[in-house]
Amino acid sequence: MTSPATSATGAPDLPDYAPVPAIAKGAALNEHGYHVWQVERNLYAVTDNVYMSAFLTTPDGVVIFDAPPNIGHNIRRAVDEITAANGLTNQVTHMVYSHHHADHQGASSLFGGDIVRIGHEETRRLLLRDDDPARPVPDVTFADSYTLEVGGERVELAWHGPNHSPDNIYIHFPDHDTLMFIDVVNAGWIPIYNLNLSDDVIGYTGAPAIALDYPWTHLISGHLGRVATREDVAMHQQYIADIEASSREALASVNPGPLFGHYGENVWAGVSAYLDAVTEHAAAPVIAKYTGVLGGADIEVYTRTTTFAIMQSIRLDRGPSGPVHP
Ligand SMILES: [Zn+2]
């Protein structure tokens, strides 16, 4: 960690954090910088300990689920490594998009134009909008659900409403005891800024319960170094529930009157003072509770921004936003 004494070398003066808890540790990476492992039977996951992708090997070809540019060409290396070891074809025939975000699909063009690309109809619409050559638009789309059958294997895709993004789907492998659901739960870590950079607070906070409605033992959640367990999802739900409870308590207990009074006609300064005070009051006990328990919990801006988003959703979505003027 850089100290002020060495910042003259040009390195930024970076904060120190507690050691990462054991629950948050990833895998050892190989010389290329990836780790690939068998999740269940012929379903494999590959990670660089930041991003995670998955693939299914079958006698008829390989199906890839997400292609994060962070892993990039290592997805191909991992497929080649596993198919060679099992005497199967390394031909990629299908790619499934969990959602349209470039950080999970930006290497999908590496697999060429000759494969079947499957995604939600909203993923197609958003990719047409974004017009990114690195993310070819899916040609097979669905509205509610789609069953993919390749090489004797079955995968069930379903959309249950917006959450992290408008198009984020649930990918169930019923014969592999696995669910793939990206960018909501992080195994052993808290979400990053603003509920993992999510669009829909109510959709995001309700999604883990939908995920738990599926039968599975392994959850491929798109980030970090290991698959999640049902206990990881429960811990995530508790973290979010703690923020919700703390936000309600802070909204009820922080008095805006003196803050608005202090700033007088500068009402936007009063709004900022009030919302910042509510956020700080709500986030502080959650940061204290999860530091040393979940990875990233002492990076306070993560819990603060997630708390701000949840507190605003309590005001704006759930209501009431405040007392009605008499
Ligand atoms: Zn995303």
Side-chain angles (χ1 to χ4, degrees), residues 243 246-247 250 278-288 300 303-305 307:
I243 291 176
S246 197
S247 296
V278 173
T279 303
E280 177 57 32
H281 186 100
V286 180
I287 292 167
E300 298 188 2
T303 296
R304 281 210 193 93
T305 55
T307 300

Side-chain angles (χ1 to χ4, degrees), residues 98-104 164-165 168 182-183 196-197 223:
S98 67
H99 66 308
H100 73 289
H101 283 166
D103 65 325
H104 289 272
H164 161 72
S165 65
N168 200 28
I182 302 301
D183 278 351
N196 259 355
L197 308 175
H223 282 281

Side-chain angles (χ1 to χ4, degrees), residues 267-287:
V267 291
W268 267 189
V271 168
S272 170
Y274 172 58
L275 294 181
D276 288 352
V278 173
T279 303
E280 177 57 32
H281 186 100
V286 180
I287 292 167

Side-chain angles (χ1 to χ4, degrees), residues 61-211:
V62 176
V63 186
I64 294 191
F65 300 86
D66 284 3
N70 241 58
I71 309 176
H73 290 277
N74 279 338
I75 301 169
R76 176 86 259 172
R77 291 190 185 95
V79 166
D80 290 350
E81 174 189 333
I82 295 296
T83 52
N86 293 288
L88 287 166
T89 174
N90 69 348
Q91 182 82 44
V92 174
T93 55
H94 296 72
M95 174 167 288
V96 173
Y97 292 13
S98 67
H99 66 308
H100 73 289
H101 283 166
D103 65 325
H104 289 272
Q105 314 304 343
S108 52
S109 63
L110 297 181
F111 296 91
D114 244 7
I115 64 172
V116 178
R117 296 172 186 274
I118 305 154
H120 189 258
E121 60 185 20
E122 185 69 359
T123 302
R124 177 180 168 86
R125 190 188 72 77
L126 291 165
L127 288 176
L128 286 168
R129 177 198 70 178
D130 296 342
D131 193 25
D132 176 2
R135 288 174 285 161
V137 171
D139 25 61
V140 177
T141 62
F142 64 96
D144 297 321
S145 63
Y146 181 86
T147 301
L148 172 65
E149 287 178 321
V150 180
E153 303 295 345
R154 184 164 59 102
V155 187
E156 300 286 355
L157 316 181
W159 182 80
H160 297 300
N163 45 71
H164 161 72
S165 65
D167 59 331
N168 200 28
I169 61 168
Y170 299 72
I171 302 168
H172 189 224
F173 302 84
D175 303 320
H176 296 82
D177 203 12
T178 298
L179 183 72
M180 182 166 180
F181 182 52
I182 302 301
D183 278 351
V184 173
V185 174
N186 296 325
W189 295 75
I190 64 166
I192 65 163
Y193 303 90
N194 292 302
L195 311 112
N196 259 355
L197 308 175
S198 290
D199 292 335
D200 187 315
V201 174
I202 303 281
Y204 176 93
T205 55
I210 298 172

Side-chain angles (χ1 to χ4, degrees), residues 20-29 35-39 45-53 178-179 181-182 185-190 216-236 293-295:
V20 167
I23 195 174
K25 290 197 189 290
L29 303 180
H35 173 63
V36 61
W37 73 103
Q38 181 185 42
V39 176
V46 54
T47 186
D48 63 355
N49 283 337
V50 183
Y51 278 86
M52 193 180 294
S53 162
T178 298
L179 183 72
F181 182 52
I182 302 301
V185 174
N186 296 325
W189 295 75
I190 64 166
W216 54 266
T217 300
H218 320 288
L219 175 68
I220 297 166
S221 64
H223 282 281
L224 304 157
R226 65 175 175 85
V227 295
T229 63
R230 299 183 81 88
E231 291 70 33
D232 288 315
V233 177
M235 280 185 81
H236 168 92
V293 176
L294 287 174

